[in-house]
Amino acid sequence: MRTLELDSATAPLAEYAHDADDGPVVLTVEGQPYAALMTIDEGSLRAMLKLYNQKLAHEEQELDAEIESLSNNPKFLALLEEAIASIKTEGTTSHEDVLREFGLN
């Protein structure tokens, strides 16, 4: 498997396609898998599934950190309380009304 940063991938696509005969060519952005070029066979598909699962695990870690940060952020919690109070006093707007208001129905 060949890995290179997307910004460094300046060769013609055909060159990378030939490189894919030896395994997937994985393009990264800031070190994280972004795209891949591979031949279509079972081994390559399994390799792509592995990379995809790694990317999902990384995104899940980032999301967990963001949720933790927001749950301890007084400004965010105040906004959330304000929104809840507004819903209790003013109610909500239906999906259909929002579409109508923006001329999307």
Side-chain angles (χ1 to χ4, degrees):
M1 178 171 72
R2 179 177 176 193
T3 304
L4 69 149
E5 275 291 313
L6 182 60
D7 292 341
S8 301
T10 58
L13 179 61
E15 184 176 318
Y16 297 120
H18 289 297
D19 290 348
D21 288 337
D22 298 324
V25 177
V26 179
L27 301 172
T28 59
V29 174
E30 296 179 7
Q32 295 301 314
Y34 180 76
L37 181 62
M38 63 183 191
T39 58
I40 300 176
D41 61 35
E42 185 177 344
S44 294
L45 292 174
R46 287 185 187 279
M48 279 309 306
L49 181 58
K50 181 179 178 183
L51 287 171
Y52 179 72
N53 286 333
Q54 290 172 348
K55 181 174 171 51
L56 285 179
H58 177 75
E59 289 173 355
E60 185 175 308
Q61 288 174 347
E62 287 180 347
L63 182 58
D64 287 346
E66 188 172 339
I67 290 170
E68 179 70 26
S69 174
L70 286 174
S71 69
N72 293 313
N73 183 312
K75 288 182 180 180
F76 176 76
L77 294 174
L79 279 172
L80 193 55
E81 289 297 325
E82 184 180 319
I84 291 169
S86 174
I87 289 170
K88 287 179 180 177
T89 60
E90 300 172 26
T92 61
T93 304
S94 73
H95 179 73
E96 292 79 18
D97 287 344
V98 171
L99 291 176
R100 193 172 17 265
E101 184 176 332
F102 289 97
L104 301 172
N105 56 349

